[in-house]
Amino acid sequence: MTFGFAPSAASRKTPPPPSTTPSPLVPVPSLPAEPASSPPRAIGPQEWTAANVPLLGNPREVVTGLYERHSPAAGTVVVGVLDPDERLRASASFTRRPGDSDGWVFRNTLLAQLRRVIPHDLRRRVPVRTAVLLHCREGESRWTAEDGAWMWGLRDACTLHGLRCGAYVTLTGAGWQILGEGRGGRHPRLGSRTTLFVPAADEVPTRPGQLGPLPEQRVESAERLAPGDEMPEQRAGRGGSLTERAAGLLSRPIDTPREQWPRTAAR
């Protein structure tokens, strides 16, 4: 028969917990430090030229349409979306924040503006609409590092919104210039006056709120008149205002014959 004895509490030893302090003889490897800032995202002029950006058939009309719609000042960026026939479908303008020069920031800004004015075309296999960018600034119109960042942002925003990346245009006091193509013009330029919805001198109505007859209507009225008759505008009753003629009618006695009342031209 074998007898066993349980060990006493004094004989049982608890192993010490593992030490968290490293040994002074063994060096601890350190993790690589995260870079303070990533390199700016931008596109060079050669890369932009090699990207085969679709050319505008009538660039002056596109630039004029964007300028007249938004009347931008220096520091304003205008992004427009064109239909396949280069008609302006939607556009938005915003002021560039000073200090930003990274294409990532520009991409987010452009994408937010595009989502605000037009739905995306991500369901299409091939993009049909084109986005163009008009950058208004002071100074020269040649390529700068900031333009490269805007190009990167425009290209990436178009990809995320289902659009084709179109032309990048700078607008300065000397005129407009399409970077990468060499095409440009002197009008419109920064600070020039817009001419949208301004009628010609011969199309301005004589009275506010009234539209005068068209030229062909005047010719037809003259042909219907007999020789010696006067046009309605030449009658004496047209000399006074409508209020004066109404006051004259009210001042007439009621028993006055009707044919003696002044006649007014039908409107």
Side-chain angles (χ1 to χ4, degrees), residues 3-71:
F3 296 93
F5 299 91
S8 63
S11 62
R12 289 181 296 181
K13 295 182 179 181
T14 306
S19 176
T20 57
T21 58
S23 173
L25 302 178
V26 181
V28 178
S30 60
L31 297 175
E34 185 177 358
S37 60
S38 58
R41 300 164 179 85
I43 296 178
Q46 293 81 9
E47 184 180 357
W48 180 260
T49 305
N52 295 326
V53 177
L55 302 178
L56 294 174
N58 194 342
R60 181 179 180 181
E61 181 178 352
V62 174
V63 175
T64 303
L66 292 174
Y67 185 82
E68 290 182 340
R69 175 173 290 193
H70 296 275
S71 300

Coordinates of all heavy atoms in Angstrom, one line a residue, residues 3-71:
F3 N 1.2 5.4 0.4 CA 0.6 6.5 1.0 C 1.2 7.8 0.3 O 2.4 7.8 0.1 CB 0.8 6.6 2.5 CG 0.1 5.4 3.2 CD1 0.8 4.3 3.4 CD2 -1.2 5.6 3.6 CE1 0.2 3.2 4.1 CE2 -1.8 4.5 4.2 CZ -1.1 3.3 4.5
G4 N 0.3 8.7 0.0 CA 0.8 10.0 -0.5 C 0.5 11.1 0.4 O -0.4 11.1 1.2
F5 N 1.4 12.1 0.3 CA 1.2 13.3 1.2 C 1.1 14.5 0.3 O 1.9 14.7 -0.6 CB 2.4 13.4 2.2 CG 2.6 12.3 3.1 CD1 3.4 11.2 2.7 CD2 1.9 12.2 4.3 CE1 3.5 10.1 3.6 CE2 2.0 11.1 5.2 CZ 2.8 10.1 4.8
A6 N 0.1 15.4 0.7 CA -0.1 16.6 -0.1 C 1.0 17.6 0.3 O 1.4 17.7 1.5 CB -1.5 17.2 0.2
P7 N 1.5 18.3 -0.7 CA 2.6 19.3 -0.3 C 2.0 20.4 0.5 O 0.9 20.8 0.4 CB 3.1 19.8 -1.7 CG 1.9 19.6 -2.6 CD 1.2 18.4 -2.1
S8 N 2.8 20.9 1.4 CA 2.4 22.0 2.3 C 2.4 23.3 1.5 O 2.9 23.4 0.4 CB 3.3 22.1 3.5 OG 4.6 22.4 3.0
A9 N 1.7 24.3 2.1 CA 1.5 25.6 1.4 C 2.9 26.3 1.3 O 3.1 27.1 0.4 CB 0.5 26.5 2.2
A10 N 3.8 26.0 2.3 CA 5.1 26.7 2.3 C 5.9 26.1 1.1 O 6.8 26.8 0.6 CB 5.8 26.5 3.6
S11 N 5.7 24.8 0.8 CA 6.5 24.2 -0.3 C 6.1 24.6 -1.6 O 6.8 24.5 -2.6 CB 6.5 22.7 -0.1 OG 5.2 22.2 -0.3
R12 N 4.8 25.1 -1.8 CA 4.3 25.5 -3.1 C 4.8 26.9 -3.4 O 4.6 27.8 -2.6 CB 2.8 25.4 -3.2 CG 2.3 24.0 -3.2 CD 0.8 23.9 -3.3 NE 0.2 24.5 -2.1 CZ -1.2 24.6 -1.9 NH1 -2.0 24.1 -2.9 NH2 -1.7 25.2 -0.8
K13 N 5.4 27.1 -4.5 CA 5.9 28.4 -4.9 C 5.2 28.9 -6.2 O 5.1 28.2 -7.2 CB 7.4 28.4 -5.2 CG 8.2 28.1 -3.9 CD 9.7 28.0 -4.2 CE 10.5 27.7 -3.0 NZ 12.0 27.8 -3.2
T14 N 4.7 30.1 -6.1 CA 4.1 30.7 -7.3 C 5.1 31.3 -8.2 O 6.0 32.1 -7.7 CB 3.1 31.8 -6.9 OG1 2.2 31.2 -5.9 CG2 2.3 32.4 -8.1
P15 N 5.1 31.0 -9.5 CA 6.1 31.6 -10.4 C 5.9 33.1 -10.5 O 4.8 33.6 -10.5 CB 5.8 30.9 -11.8 CG 4.4 30.4 -11.7 CD 4.2 30.1 -10.2
P16 N 7.0 33.8 -10.5 CA 6.9 35.3 -10.6 C 6.3 35.7 -11.9 O 6.4 35.1 -12.9 CB 8.4 35.7 -10.5 CG 9.1 34.6 -11.0 CD 8.4 33.3 -10.6
P17 N 5.5 36.8 -11.9 CA 4.9 37.3 -13.1 C 6.0 37.8 -14.1 O 7.1 38.2 -13.7 CB 4.0 38.5 -12.7 CG 4.7 38.9 -11.4 CD 5.2 37.7 -10.7
P18 N 5.7 37.7 -15.4 CA 6.7 38.1 -16.4 C 6.9 39.6 -16.3 O 6.0 40.4 -16.0 CB 6.0 37.7 -17.7 CG 4.6 37.7 -17.5 CD 4.4 37.2 -16.0
S19 N 8.2 39.9 -16.4 CA 8.6 41.3 -16.3 C 8.2 42.0 -17.5 O 8.4 41.5 -18.7 CB 10.1 41.4 -16.0 OG 10.5 42.7 -15.9
T20 N 7.7 43.3 -17.4 CA 7.4 44.1 -18.5 C 8.5 45.1 -18.9 O 8.5 45.7 -19.9 CB 6.1 44.9 -18.2 OG1 6.4 45.7 -17.0 CG2 4.9 44.0 -18.0
T21 N 9.5 45.2 -18.1 CA 10.6 46.0 -18.4 C 11.7 45.3 -19.2 O 12.1 44.2 -18.8 CB 11.2 46.6 -17.1 OG1 11.7 45.5 -16.3 CG2 10.2 47.4 -16.3
P22 N 12.1 45.8 -20.3 CA 13.1 45.0 -21.1 C 14.4 45.0 -20.4 O 14.7 45.8 -19.5 CB 13.1 45.8 -22.4 CG 12.8 47.2 -22.0 CD 11.8 47.1 -20.8
S23 N 15.2 44.0 -20.7 CA 16.5 43.9 -20.2 C 17.4 45.0 -20.8 O 17.3 45.3 -21.9 CB 17.1 42.5 -20.6 OG 18.4 42.4 -20.2
P24 N 18.2 45.5 -19.9 CA 19.1 46.6 -20.5 C 20.1 46.1 -21.5 O 20.7 46.9 -22.2 CB 19.8 47.1 -19.2 CG 19.7 46.0 -18.2 CD 18.5 45.3 -18.5
L25 N 20.3 44.8 -21.6 CA 21.3 44.3 -22.5 C 20.7 44.0 -23.9 O 21.4 43.9 -24.9 CB 21.9 43.0 -22.0 CG 22.6 43.2 -20.6 CD1 23.1 41.8 -20.2 CD2 23.7 44.2 -20.7
V26 N 19.3 43.9 -24.0 CA 18.7 43.6 -25.3 C 17.9 44.8 -25.7 O 17.0 45.3 -25.1 CB 17.7 42.4 -25.1 CG1 17.0 42.1 -26.5 CG2 18.4 41.2 -24.5
P27 N 18.3 45.5 -26.9 CA 17.6 46.7 -27.3 C 16.3 46.3 -27.9 O 16.0 45.3 -28.5 CB 18.6 47.2 -28.4 CG 19.3 46.0 -28.9 CD 19.5 45.1 -27.7
V28 N 15.3 47.2 -27.7 CA 13.9 47.0 -28.2 C 13.8 47.8 -29.5 O 14.1 49.0 -29.6 CB 12.9 47.6 -27.2 CG1 11.5 47.4 -27.7 CG2 13.0 46.8 -25.9
P29 N 13.4 47.1 -30.6 CA 13.2 47.8 -31.9 C 12.1 48.8 -31.8 O 11.0 48.5 -31.3 CB 13.0 46.7 -32.9 CG 12.4 45.6 -32.1 CD 13.0 45.7 -30.7
S30 N 12.2 50.0 -32.4 CA 11.2 51.0 -32.5 C 10.5 51.0 -33.8 O 11.1 50.6 -34.8 CB 11.9 52.4 -32.2 OG 12.8 52.6 -33.3
L31 N 9.2 51.3 -33.7 CA 8.4 51.3 -35.0 C 8.7 52.5 -35.8 O 9.1 53.6 -35.3 CB 6.9 51.4 -34.6 CG 6.3 50.2 -33.8 CD1 4.9 50.5 -33.5 CD2 6.5 49.0 -34.7
P32 N 8.6 52.4 -37.1 CA 9.0 53.5 -38.0 C 8.0 54.7 -37.8 O 6.8 54.4 -37.7 CB 8.9 53.0 -39.4 CG 8.0 51.8 -39.3 CD 8.2 51.2 -37.9
A33 N 8.4 55.8 -37.7 CA 7.6 57.0 -37.5 C 6.8 57.3 -38.7 O 7.3 57.2 -39.8 CB 8.5 58.2 -37.1
E34 N 5.5 57.7 -38.5 CA 4.7 58.1 -39.6 C 5.1 59.4 -40.2 O 5.4 60.4 -39.4 CB 3.2 58.2 -39.2 CG 2.2 58.4 -40.3 CD 0.8 58.4 -39.8 OE1 0.6 58.2 -38.6 OE2 -0.1 58.7 -40.6
P35 N 5.2 59.6 -41.5 CA 5.6 60.9 -42.0 C 4.6 62.0 -41.6 O 3.4 61.8 -41.5 CB 5.6 60.6 -43.6 CG 4.7 59.5 -43.8 CD 4.9 58.6 -42.5
A36 N 5.2 63.1 -41.4 CA 4.4 64.3 -40.9 C 3.3 64.6 -42.0 O 2.2 65.0 -41.7 CB 5.2 65.5 -40.6
S37 N 3.6 64.6 -43.3 CA 2.7 65.0 -44.3 C 3.1 64.2 -45.6 O 4.2 64.0 -45.9 CB 2.7 66.5 -44.6 OG 4.0 66.9 -45.0
S38 N 2.0 63.8 -46.3 CA 2.3 63.1 -47.5 C 2.6 64.0 -48.6 O 2.3 65.2 -48.6 CB 1.0 62.3 -47.9 OG -0.1 63.2 -48.1
P39 N 3.3 63.6 -49.7 CA 3.7 64.5 -50.7 C 2.4 65.0 -51.4 O 1.4 64.3 -51.5 CB 4.5 63.6 -51.7 CG 4.1 62.2 -51.3 CD 3.8 62.2 -49.9
P40 N 2.5 66.2 -51.9 CA 1.3 66.8 -52.5 C 0.9 66.1 -53.8 O 1.8 65.7 -54.6 CB 1.7 68.3 -52.8 CG 3.2 68.3 -52.8 CD 3.6 67.2 -51.9
R41 N -0.4 65.9 -54.0 CA -0.8 65.2 -55.2 C -1.0 66.2 -56.3 O -1.9 67.1 -56.2 CB -2.1 64.5 -54.9 CG -1.9 63.4 -53.8 CD -3.3 63.0 -53.2 NE -3.1 62.0 -52.2 CZ -2.9 62.3 -50.9 NH1 -2.8 63.5 -50.5 NH2 -2.8 61.3 -50.0
A42 N -0.3 66.1 -57.4 CA -0.3 67.0 -58.5 C 0.1 66.3 -59.8 O 0.6 65.2 -59.8 CB 0.6 68.2 -58.2
I43 N -0.2 67.0 -60.9 CA 0.1 66.5 -62.2 C 1.0 67.5 -62.9 O 0.8 68.7 -62.9 CB -1.2 66.3 -63.0 CG1 -2.0 65.2 -62.4 CG2 -0.8 65.9 -64.5 CD1 -3.3 64.9 -63.1
G44 N 2.0 67.0 -63.6 CA 2.9 67.9 -64.3 C 2.3 68.2 -65.7 O 1.4 67.6 -66.2
P45 N 2.8 69.2 -66.3 CA 2.3 69.6 -67.6 C 2.5 68.5 -68.7 O 1.6 68.4 -69.5 CB 3.1 70.9 -68.0 CG 4.3 70.8 -67.1 CD 3.9 70.1 -65.9
Q46 N 3.6 67.8 -68.6 CA 3.8 66.7 -69.6 C 2.8 65.6 -69.4 O 2.2 65.1 -70.4 CB 5.2 66.2 -69.6 CG 6.3 67.1 -70.0 CD 6.6 68.1 -68.9 OE1 6.2 68.0 -67.8 NE2 7.5 69.1 -69.3
E47 N 2.5 65.3 -68.1 CA 1.5 64.2 -67.9 C 0.1 64.6 -68.2 O -0.7 63.8 -68.7 CB 1.6 63.9 -66.4 CG 0.7 62.7 -66.0 CD 0.8 62.4 -64.5 OE1 1.6 63.0 -63.8 OE2 0.0 61.5 -64.0
W48 N -0.2 65.9 -68.0 CA -1.5 66.4 -68.4 C -1.7 66.4 -69.9 O -2.8 66.0 -70.5 CB -1.7 67.8 -67.9 CG -3.1 68.4 -68.2 CD1 -3.3 69.3 -69.2 CD2 -4.3 68.1 -67.5 NE1 -4.7 69.6 -69.2 CE2 -5.3 68.9 -68.2 CE3 -4.7 67.3 -66.5 CZ2 -6.6 68.9 -67.8 CZ3 -6.0 67.3 -66.1 CH2 -7.0 68.1 -66.8
T49 N -0.7 66.7 -70.7 CA -0.8 66.7 -72.1 C -0.9 65.3 -72.6 O -1.6 65.1 -73.6 CB 0.5 67.4 -72.7 OG1 0.6 68.7 -72.2 CG2 0.4 67.5 -74.2
A50 N -0.2 64.4 -72.0 CA -0.3 63.0 -72.5 C -1.6 62.3 -72.0 O -1.8 61.1 -72.5 CB 0.9 62.2 -71.9
A51 N -2.4 62.9 -71.2 CA -3.6 62.3 -70.8 C -4.7 62.3 -71.8 O -5.8 61.8 -71.6 CB -4.1 63.0 -69.5
N52 N -4.5 63.0 -73.0 CA -5.5 63.1 -74.1 C -6.8 63.6 -73.6 O -7.9 63.0 -73.7 CB -5.7 61.7 -74.7 CG -4.5 61.1 -75.4 OD1 -3.7 61.9 -75.9 ND2 -4.3 59.8 -75.3
V53 N -6.7 64.8 -73.0 CA -7.9 65.5 -72.5 C -8.7 65.9 -73.8 O -8.2 66.4 -74.7 CB -7.6 66.7 -71.7 CG1 -8.8 67.5 -71.3 CG2 -6.8 66.3 -70.5
P54 N -10.0 65.6 -73.8 CA -10.8 66.0 -75.0 C -10.8 67.5 -75.3 O -10.9 68.3 -74.4 CB -12.2 65.5 -74.7 CG -12.3 65.4 -73.2 CD -10.9 65.0 -72.8
L55 N -10.6 67.8 -76.5 CA -10.5 69.2 -76.9 C -11.9 69.8 -77.1 O -12.9 69.1 -77.4 CB -9.8 69.4 -78.3 CG -8.4 68.8 -78.3 CD1 -7.8 69.0 -79.7 CD2 -7.5 69.5 -77.3
L56 N -12.0 71.1 -76.8 CA -13.3 71.8 -76.9 C -13.4 72.3 -78.3 O -12.5 72.9 -78.9 CB -13.3 73.0 -75.9 CG -13.4 72.7 -74.4 CD1 -13.3 73.9 -73.6 CD2 -14.6 71.9 -74.1
G57 N -14.6 72.1 -78.9 CA -14.9 72.6 -80.3 C -14.9 74.1 -80.3 O -14.4 74.7 -81.3
N58 N -15.6 74.7 -79.4 CA -15.6 76.2 -79.3 C -15.3 76.6 -77.9 O -16.1 76.9 -77.1 CB -17.1 76.6 -79.7 CG -17.1 78.1 -80.0 OD1 -16.2 78.9 -79.6 ND2 -18.2 78.5 -80.6
P59 N -14.0 76.7 -77.6 CA -13.6 77.0 -76.2 C -14.0 78.4 -75.8 O -14.4 78.6 -74.6 CB -12.1 76.9 -76.3 CG -11.7 77.1 -77.7 CD -12.8 76.5 -78.5
R60 N -14.0 79.4 -76.7 CA -14.4 80.7 -76.3 C -15.8 80.8 -75.8 O -16.2 81.5 -74.9 CB -14.1 81.7 -77.4 CG -14.5 83.2 -77.0 CD -14.2 84.1 -78.2 NE -14.6 85.5 -77.8 CZ -14.5 86.5 -78.6 NH1 -14.0 86.4 -79.8 NH2 -14.8 87.7 -78.2
E61 N -16.7 80.1 -76.5 CA -18.1 80.0 -76.1 C -18.3 79.4 -74.8 O -19.1 79.9 -73.9 CB -18.9 79.3 -77.2 CG -20.4 79.3 -76.9 CD -21.2 78.6 -78.0 OE1 -20.6 78.2 -79.0 OE2 -22.4 78.3 -77.8
V62 N -17.6 78.4 -74.5 CA -17.6 77.7 -73.2 C -17.1 78.6 -72.1 O -17.8 78.8 -71.0 CB -16.9 76.4 -73.2 CG1 -16.8 75.7 -71.8 CG2 -17.5 75.4 -74.2
V63 N -16.0 79.2 -72.3 CA -15.4 80.1 -71.3 C -16.3 81.3 -71.1 O -16.6 81.8 -69.9 CB -14.0 80.6 -71.7 CG1 -13.5 81.6 -70.7 CG2 -13.1 79.4 -71.8
T64 N -16.9 81.9 -72.1 CA -17.8 83.0 -72.0 C -19.0 82.7 -71.3 O -19.6 83.4 -70.4 CB -18.1 83.6 -73.4 OG1 -16.9 84.0 -74.1 CG2 -19.0 84.8 -73.3
G65 N -19.6 81.5 -71.5 CA -20.8 81.0 -70.8 C -20.6 80.9 -69.3 O -21.4 81.3 -68.5
L66 N -19.4 80.3 -68.9 CA -19.1 80.2 -67.5 C -18.9 81.5 -66.9 O -19.3 81.8 -65.7 CB -17.9 79.3 -67.3 CG -18.1 77.8 -67.7 CD1 -16.7 77.1 -67.6 CD2 -19.1 77.1 -66.8
Y67 N -18.2 82.4 -67.6 CA -17.9 83.7 -67.0 C -19.2 84.6 -66.9 O -19.4 85.2 -65.8 CB -16.9 84.4 -67.9 CG -16.4 85.8 -67.3 CD1 -15.4 85.8 -66.3 CD2 -17.0 87.0 -67.7 CE1 -15.0 87.0 -65.8 CE2 -16.6 88.2 -67.2 CZ -15.6 88.2 -66.2 OH -15.2 89.4 -65.7
E68 N -20.0 84.5 -67.8 CA -21.2 85.4 -67.8 C -22.2 84.8 -66.8 O -23.1 85.5 -66.2 CB -21.9 85.5 -69.2 CG -21.1 86.3 -70.1 CD -21.7 86.4 -71.5 OE1 -22.6 85.6 -71.8 OE2 -21.4 87.3 -72.2
R69 N -22.2 83.5 -66.5 CA -23.1 82.9 -65.6 C -22.7 83.2 -64.1 O -23.6 83.4 -63.3 CB -23.3 81.4 -65.8 CG -24.1 80.7 -64.8 CD -24.3 79.3 -65.1 NE -25.2 79.1 -66.3 CZ -25.7 77.9 -66.6 NH1 -25.5 76.9 -65.9 NH2 -26.5 77.8 -67.7
H70 N -21.4 83.3 -63.8 CA -21.0 83.4 -62.5 C -20.3 84.7 -62.1 O -20.1 85.0 -61.0 CB -20.1 82.2 -62.1 CG -20.7 80.9 -62.1 ND1 -21.4 80.4 -61.1 CD2 -20.8 79.9 -63.1 CE1 -21.9 79.2 -61.4 NE2 -21.5 78.9 -62.6
S71 N -19.8 85.4 -63.2 CA -19.1 86.7 -62.9 C -18.0 86.5 -61.9 O -18.0 87.2 -60.8 CB -20.1 87.8 -62.5 OG -21.0 88.0 -63.6

